[in-house]
Amino acid sequence: MNTEKLSQRLEAVANYIPSGSRLADIGSDHAYLPCYAVKRGIVPFAIAGEVVEGPYQSAKRQVKMEGLDEQIIVRKGNGLEVIAPGEIDCITIAGMGGALIASILEEGKNKLESVKRLILQPNISAMTIRQWLIDNGWELKAEEILEEDEKIYEILVAEKGIPFKPYKDLQKELLLGPFLIKQLSVSFQKKWRNEQKNWQRILTQLENAAQSEDTILKKKELNEKIQMVEEVLNK
Ligand code: SAM
């Protein structure tokens, strides 16, 4: 991967950046995504935010090497603290867990006033992000799922709006994604068949354990999730 040719995952994220946006890429690592977006003329300006010294230095090196210092500012800091209020209208956060992405958004809420679009790519637990979006007045606009190097990734795109709009069966759609359920793609089916197998394995272990209140509750939850996924995959 480089700034000419992104991974399929990051390219899919870049495809959702509205042309002409002022972008912040949080957890930017090598700043590949903002460099690509500026070089392709998708955005005129970007901030690459990084909290860890090593990746922050890599981002600075990459931006300098590409001669993009005028258009991309690399800032070191935690989550959205690298953005000034009103500075940005699109945020990308990719390659982290859903809970971390949701906590970055939660802690940086005061920076989201001017932001029109969030493009979020959790490696796990997209459900936590969907719940955060609902709780905070963001409407899910699109979802994508793709497989690369034997890993399956989800991309969630949200804008300020009516948070409950795409949801009809909340529990099911929070877990699996309202758009992804409709698309029922091969990657989606593969991901949830794998999850089902995992849950089934845990269920078997729990069947063989001492039956405490906790065990019984956990088994109930797992059975419900297996059933929920079965209904979606078999529709
Ligand atoms: N976004 C790139 C991608 O998708 O390929 C890099 C993903 S990398 C796995 C996650 C990056 O996020 C790391 O460089 C890590 O240091 C950074 N990170 C984690 N928590 C962060 C936070 N709270 N604020 C800013 N950066 C963070």
Side-chain angles (χ1 to χ4, degrees), residues 46-73:
I47 291 171
E50 245 303 329
V51 74
V52 175
E53 181 64 20
Y56 164 70
Q57 291 298 343
S58 305
K60 286 220 308 190
R61 262 198 313 276
Q62 188 68 37
V63 168
K64 201 172 170 53
M65 202 172 78
E66 305 270 0
L68 296 173
D69 306 70
E70 299 276 303
Q71 294 106 312
I72 302 175
I73 309 177

Side-chain angles (χ1 to χ4, degrees), residues 48-133:
E50 245 303 329
V51 74
V52 175
E53 181 64 20
Y56 164 70
Q57 291 298 343
S58 305
K60 286 220 308 190
R61 262 198 313 276
Q62 188 68 37
V63 168
K64 201 172 170 53
M65 202 172 78
E66 305 270 0
L68 296 173
D69 306 70
E70 299 276 303
Q71 294 106 312
I72 302 175
I73 309 177
V74 183
R75 291 187 186 148
K76 191 173 171 195
N78 185 10
L80 305 193
E81 77 177 20
V82 297
I83 333 175
E87 194 176 27
I88 287 303
D89 47 37
C90 177
I91 293 179
T92 49
I93 313 180
M96 303 177 205
L100 178 56
I101 293 177
S103 80
I104 287 174
L105 295 170
E106 180 64 26
E107 283 167 28
K109 264 183 190 174
N110 59 333
K111 304 291 177 60
L112 294 176
E113 198 66 21
S114 62
V115 175
K116 297 193 180 78
R117 177 171 283 201
L118 300 171
I119 308 161
L120 310 168
Q121 184 272 297
N123 290 341
I124 52 164
S125 193
M127 182 178 180
T128 319
I129 296 179
R130 292 190 190 100
Q131 186 64 61
W132 186 90
L133 295 172

